[in-house]
Amino acid sequence: MDQLRVVGGARLEGRLEAAGSKNAVLPLMAACLLTDEPLVLTHVPRLRDVETMGRILSCLGVEVAQEGDRLTLQAQSDGSVKAPYDLVSTMRASVCVLGPLIARRGAAQVSMPGGCVFGVRPVDLHVKGLNALGAEIRIEGGYLASEVGRRLQGAALFLGSRAGSSVLATAQVLSAAVLAEGRTEIENAAMEPEITELCRCLLSMGARISGLGGHRLVVDGVKTLHGAEHRVGGDRVEAGTFLTAAAMTAGDVTVEGVEPESLTAALEMLVAMGAEITQGPNWVRCRAHGRLGAADLTTLPFPGFPTDLQAQFMAALTVSEGISVVTERIFPDRFMHVAELLRLGARISKEGAQAIVHGAPSLSGAIVMASDLRASAALVLAGLVAEGETEVRRVYHIDRGYERIDERFASLGAEIHRETQPDLEQTASVC
Ligand code: EPZ
C-alpha cells in the first residue's frame, strides 16, 4: 500500500492544467449505454474510479478502449444488464448505469451502492425519478432491479432531497428521459457544472434538452441516439484543491483549463480569507502573502460552496488567523478529516454538522490516515504547511479522484514523495 511523505514549508508556485473532471466523466461514461455507436471521450483523467467504471461497463457488454486520455466506449444493444456488487460497492457513481440500461435495454440489475465513510448515501431520488418514467424499480437481494416491457414515458417530477438537489439523481433521470416517449420536466434539477456538461454531451448524441444550467431541465425524448466525441471539462474540485494549497503556502499558482464560474463560491471564500484571485475565461490564479484569515463557510448545492472542497478549506482554516465555523449542509457526517487534522495539532471542535476551527500558528507533522477522497487531499494540504514531515497513509483513496497528486504538487515546488507504506511486521520489530 502506498503512502505520501510530505515535507512542510514549501511555497507553491507555477501553473498546471486541470485534469479531466472525475465527477463529469463518470456519468458521461454511463451515457455510452444509450447508443450502439461509439462514444469517444477525450481529456479523460487517469483515475481508479474511471477504471472501475470501465470494468462495470465491460461487464455490461461495452467495448472499452483507452489510448492515453482518449476513451472509446461502444455498447451493444443487448448484453448483460447486471452491474455486480463487488464493483458497484467500491464506487457510488456506478449507480448511474441504471437509467441508461432501463431506457435502452428495458431491464437492469444494479447493486445498491451502499454507504461511504461520510454516512448513508441514499438512492431514493434515483428510484423516485425512474419510477416516474415508468421503470418500476424493485429492491431484490441488495440490487435495484427493473424489467419494463415498453418504452419509458416522459413525466414531470420534482427531485428534491433534504439537502436540496441531487447531482447523480439528476444525471440518472436525464440519462433515461432522453430515450423516453414524450416530455420530461425535472424540477429542482442539480445545477452543478457536471450536469450541464452531461446535457451538452447528450445533445451532441442527438438528445433534445433545454434549460441547461438551471433548476428546471426539459427533455423531449427521441427514439435513438448516435455516437459522439466529447472533451471532458477541467476538474473544478481538483483546481480548487490546488488553489487552496497555493493560498495556504503564501504561494502563486495558476490553474488552466477550468472555468472560474464553476468555482465562484470557493474563489470568493479565498478572497475573504485574504488571497488575491485573478482569472480569465478558462484559468484562475491564486496568490497570497502571509497568513490567511478566518472565514465561516457553509456547503450548499451549486452555485453555493461545494461540499467537495469543505475538507480542503478546513485544512486552510486550521492555520488561518482567528476562529472559523464550518457548516456541512450536504453530508452532515463529512468530517473524517477532523480526527486526522487534530493529530497534526489543529484545534477543531465538532458539533453535529458543524465544526469550530481555532486557527493555530502552525501544525506539526505526523502519520495520518486517508479516508474519503477529499478528506485525504485535505491531509496533504495540511502536510504542506506542517512543521516537519507528514505521512499520509492509504493513498489509494486519493488516487480514486486525483491524477498523480504527488507529481502534480511536486511540479509546483512541494516536497512530496510516494513511498511504499511499511507493513505491520516491519513496524512491529521496531518496538
Ligand atoms: C455527487 O454525489 C458527487 N459525486 C459528490 O462528489 C458530491 O459531493 C455530491 O454530488 C454533492 O455535490 C459524483 O458526482 C460522482 P447528491 P451524489 O445526490 O450525486 C441526498 C467527490 O468527493 N440524496 O448530490 O451522490 C444526499 O444524501 C464526491 O468527488 C438523497 O437524499 O450526491 C445528500 O445529502 C463525494 N437521496 C444530497 O442529496 C438520493 O437519492 C446531495 O447528494 C440522492 C441524494
Side-chain angles (χ1 to χ4, degrees), residues 412-425:
L412 298 172
E415 192 176 343
I416 181 170
H417 311 279
R418 184 181 288 260
E419 301 170 340
T420 302
Q421 184 176 310
D423 58 35
L424 204 53
E425 286 64 43

Side-chain angles (χ1 to χ4, degrees), residues 22-24 26-27 49 92-93 118 120-127 160-169 190 192 194 236-237 300-302 306-308 329-332 334 372-374:
K22 169 185 84 80
N23 289 349
L26 297 173
D49 275 6
R92 173 181 171 78
F118 48 87
V120 177
R121 301 289 296 275
V123 290
D124 57 304
L125 292 180
H126 297 245
V127 172
S161 74
R162 165 191 57 73
S165 48
S166 164
V167 176
L168 289 182
E192 271 70 3
E194 293 78 19
R236 62 192 176 104
V237 178
L300 289 167
F302 189 86
T307 176
D308 291 347
R329 290 229 189 283
I330 306 295
F331 299 113
R334 195 173 195 174
D372 98 77
L373 167 60
R374 308 303 177 184

Side-chain angles (χ1 to χ4, degrees), residues 133 153-157 173 177 180 182-186 217-221:
L133 300 180
Q153 299 296 305
L157 58 120
V173 175
R183 171 164 287 195
T184 295
E185 298 175 7
I186 307 174
L217 292 172
V218 179
V219 182
D220 288 309

